[in-house]
Amino acid sequence: MSICVDILEGCKVPVRLKNSEVYHRAEILSKREVEGGYSYYVHFEEYNKRLDEWVREDRMDLSKLEMPKKETKAQLKDVKSQSGSRASSPVVEEKSMGCIKKRDTARKRLRPDGQANSSIQVDVSDMNNAITTTTTATTITTTTTIATPTTTTVTSVISANSENLPRQTGSMVSHHDDVVTRMKNIEKIELGRYRISPWYFSPYPIELTKLSVIYICEFCLKYVKSEVCLLNHLRKCHYRHPPGNEIYRKDNMSFFEIDGRKNKTYAQNLCLLAKLFLDHKTLYYDTDPFLFYILCEIDEYGFHIVGYFSKEKESAEDYNVACILVLPPYQRKGYGKLLIEFSYALSKIEGKTGSPEKPLSDLGLLSYRSYWSQTLIDILIRLKPGENGDRPTMSIIDLVEMTSIKKEDVISTLQHLNLINYYKGQYIFTLSDETMSAHESALKKRIISVDQKALHWQPKDWSKRKW
């Protein structure tokens, strides 16, 4: 028996997941008329927005449809005051997540991913102070992430008593979700050898969002509307690598440093591209305060962009990464950890500790936590006993100085790994056989790392320079 019901935006209904018989509760964000009825854009609750898609009624359990709740005047006024994203058509065709190699049907699926045998004595006062500092900071401040065409996340610290508004400066700034930015507006992009299905909204020109594919030059990142336009552009494009200075080369890997002021067009195009795979960000075209570090693979055709991270030229909070991204075709190959390791290699040369801007995305948190864990455990395993056979000693400050990882990140990682224990009046690190075995297994999978000898870079004092 068919159910006749008016499905409105804001309704919630169980929707059958793609290629599955399982139903999951979803919210209707938009509807459009198609041949034979309507199609609905749905967001699956408690799932990442990159899984959002257009569905037909045959995938819905309309017997459990929930109508939207009426909003009060105060709520409507608040929503209206928070809106203000760039307009761009939310129209999209039904698509799959991930990266599709050009003219290839194979898809890459992207998925996020004891007691002591040996103990190391820790500086107790150092530990107590660090934990106190972390707790206090969490209580007093809130962190707001912001996004811009630089794929750079700017984090602002706001007093708990002040109004919680996003900062409107910088390259990438956080924003409140609205109907437009919650929906993917690009069906596919073609970048070099790959056609990729975007994950999130990005404010490309409206006329391009109506196309089935946007073509992007992989060297200068210029976007065009057709393959013919791309071929004409490639005949004239003189780039075969990102603009800026090459500061690292090892085997077929290369890093370029891009100044957001000197190479503004490239930086803005990079941010538009990155926004397709970064959530909770809205783009502003102020790239001047940022540096971009582009990771490339090298072959006989040129330097192909793999990913990048950006950082502020001057950061009061000692952030060494604003935004970080590995493009979908290159994920799960160790490039994420390579970008993170490279950011800390720069911090070591600067003689500073660094930390990424918070909050991190789900994939970003996994990558950072994995890198921090491997780096700290590797140091602890290599410690040698004292002259009299005493247990080796290591303080939190020692770990910070050796790794350039910020104290708060060191402590949170050790606590996450359950490596800190209180024993006979002092804190000690405890490494179990299970922890050491997992660490050795992770190191075997890591096939690429930064060679400090191949890095040729000198930090600049941006406080004495004009951008």
Side-chain angles (χ1 to χ4, degrees):
M1 181 179 70
S2 62
I3 300 176
C4 182
V5 64
D6 187 14
I7 305 175
L8 306 174
E9 295 176 4
C11 288
K12 296 187 178 181
V13 61
V15 177
R16 181 163 46 82
L17 299 173
K18 184 178 291 186
N19 302 322
S20 171
E21 296 301 320
V22 178
Y23 283 80
H24 190 84
R25 194 165 183 259
E27 179 184 358
I28 309 295
L29 299 184
S30 183
K31 64 184 290 187
R32 66 184 181 189
E33 192 169 357
V34 295
E35 185 179 352
Y38 288 93
S39 181
Y40 304 88
Y41 193 84
V42 299
H43 167 66
F44 295 98
E45 292 187 348
E46 300 178 359
Y47 281 13
N48 191 283
K49 287 198 304 186
R50 58 177 170 264
L51 297 178
D52 295 358
E53 59 177 329
W54 290 94
V55 302
R56 301 289 291 268
E57 291 183 17
D58 58 359
R59 287 178 57 187
M60 298 178 178
D61 183 356
L62 296 179
S63 65
K64 298 181 181 178
L65 179 71
E66 300 175 24
M67 300 304 289
K69 296 179 181 178
K70 293 183 178 180
E71 295 177 314
T72 65
K73 291 183 178 180
Q75 288 174 321
L76 291 172
K77 184 178 179 181
D78 183 54
V79 170
K80 187 176 180 180
S81 66
Q82 291 176 1
S83 63
S85 327
R86 294 179 178 274
S88 190
S89 170
V91 178
V92 228
E93 297 298 327
E94 188 172 317
K95 52 183 156 299
S96 60
M97 181 192 76
C99 164
I100 306 174
K101 195 166 184 178
K102 188 176 178 184
R103 289 182 279 280
D104 189 357
T105 56
R107 296 179 183 174
K108 296 184 180 181
R109 295 178 178 253
L110 306 174
R111 287 177 274 191
D113 261 20
Q115 296 302 329
N117 294 325
S118 58
S119 58
I120 302 153
Q121 188 173 344
V122 188
D123 187 323
V124 181
S125 60
D126 178 23
M127 181 67 192
N128 290 334
N129 290 339
I131 293 175
T132 304
T133 303
T134 306
T135 306
T136 306
T138 306
T139 305
I140 297 178
T141 63
T142 6
T143 309
T144 305
T145 307
I146 297 175
T148 322
T150 321
T151 337
T152 309
T153 308
V154 179
T155 307
S156 59
V157 179
I158 304 172
S159 170
N161 298 323
S162 67
E163 191 175 358
N164 190 14
L165 295 174
R167 193 165 94 187
Q168 299 300 308
T169 58
S171 188
M172 287 249 184
V173 289
S174 64
H175 66 82
H176 299 280
D177 272 346
D178 57 37
V179 174
V180 174
T181 59
R182 289 182 72 181
M183 297 172 58
K184 305 169 192 175
N185 60 331
I186 308 294
E187 182 173 354
K188 282 185 176 62
I189 63 168
E190 184 169 309
L191 181 70
R193 297 178 298 150
Y194 297 98
R195 278 197 178 176
I196 310 170
S197 295
W199 296 350
Y200 308 111
F201 170 92
S202 183
Y204 278 93
I206 291 179
E207 59 270 20
L208 294 182
T209 65
K210 299 174 182 179
L211 303 174
S212 58
V213 180
I214 294 179
Y215 296 84
I216 300 175
C217 173
E218 62 178 327
F219 301 115
C220 71
L221 303 185
K222 178 181 174 65
Y223 47 86
V224 294
K225 63 182 180 180
S226 69
E227 192 168 10
V228 173
C229 292
L230 178 64
L231 292 174
N232 290 335
H233 165 76
L234 290 174
R235 293 189 188 101
K236 302 173 185 177
C237 183
H238 61 276
Y239 288 111
R240 284 299 174 266
H241 58 74
N245 300 320
E246 186 180 22
I247 60 174
Y248 180 92
R249 185 183 293 194
K250 179 71 180 294
D251 300 327
N252 68 330
M253 295 283 98
S254 177
F255 274 93
F256 285 81
E257 182 183 61
I258 309 299
D259 188 322
R261 180 183 69 84
K262 294 179 180 178
N263 305 107
K264 187 168 293 188
T265 301
Y266 182 91
Q268 291 175 353
N269 287 339
L270 175 63
C271 291
L272 281 171
L273 172 63
K275 179 62 189 71
L276 293 169
F277 309 101
L278 295 172
D279 196 12
H280 301 307
K281 301 184 185 300
T282 185
L283 299 183
Y284 290 90
Y285 288 85
D286 177 18
T287 61
D288 290 15
F290 293 89
L291 296 169
F292 301 85
Y293 295 89
I294 319 297
L295 172 61
C296 298
E297 278 187 353
I298 309 170
D299 63 17
E300 64 271 25
Y301 301 106
F303 295 70
H304 309 279
I305 181 170
V306 168
Y308 87 103
F309 69 88
S310 60
K311 63 183 290 189
E312 289 182 277
K313 293 174 181 175
E314 292 183 274
S315 174
E317 299 88 353
D318 288 334
Y319 293 133
N320 64 355
V321 166
C323 280
I324 186 168
L325 171 73
V326 176
L327 293 171
Y330 302 97
Q331 291 181 355
R332 302 183 68 84
K333 295 182 179 181
Y335 290 124
K337 283 196 182 71
L338 185 68
L339 287 168
I340 294 171
E341 186 180 4
F342 195 83
S343 70
Y344 282 106
L346 299 183
S347 294
K348 289 177 182 178
I349 295 176
E350 291 177 306
K352 299 178 180 179
T353 59
S355 180
E357 291 185 5
K358 314 293 194 312
L360 292 165
S361 66
D362 54 350
L363 297 178
L365 179 59
L366 286 172
S367 297
Y368 265 95
R369 188 166 280 167
S370 177
Y371 172 78
W372 289 333
S373 300
Q374 289 182 16
T375 302
L376 296 176
I377 292 175
D378 192 56
I379 291 174
L380 298 178
I381 287 177
R382 295 174 186 273
L383 283 176
K384 297 179 180 179
E387 295 181 358
N388 299 324
D390 299 332
R391 289 183 303 184
T393 60
M394 172 70 67
S395 71
I396 298 294
I397 293 299
D398 292 334
L399 289 174
V400 170
E401 291 177 350
M402 294 173 69
T403 61
S404 287
I405 300 174
K406 214 168 184 63
K407 181 192 291 186
E408 291 79 5
D409 296 330
V410 170
I411 293 171
S412 67
T413 302
L414 294 173
Q415 291 174 333
H416 174 74
L417 295 171
N418 293 322
L419 296 185
I420 296 179
N421 290 279
Y422 192 73
Y423 179 72
K424 292 185 178 180
Q426 61 184 353
Y427 287 99
I428 61 170
F429 297 135
T430 57
L431 294 173
S432 65
D433 289 337
E434 183 182 354
T435 301
M436 296 176 72
S437 176
H439 173 69
E440 290 173 2
S441 176
L443 285 182
K444 290 178 182 178
K445 296 178 182 178
R446 190 171 173 185
I447 57 177
I448 51 175
S449 60
V450 174
D451 182 354
Q452 202 80 22
K453 296 178 182 178
L455 174 57
H456 306 287
W457 180 78
Q458 291 295 326
K460 300 179 179 68
D461 186 355
W462 293 101
S463 63
K464 298 179 181 178
R465 290 172 172 261
K466 292 183 178 181
W467 293 348

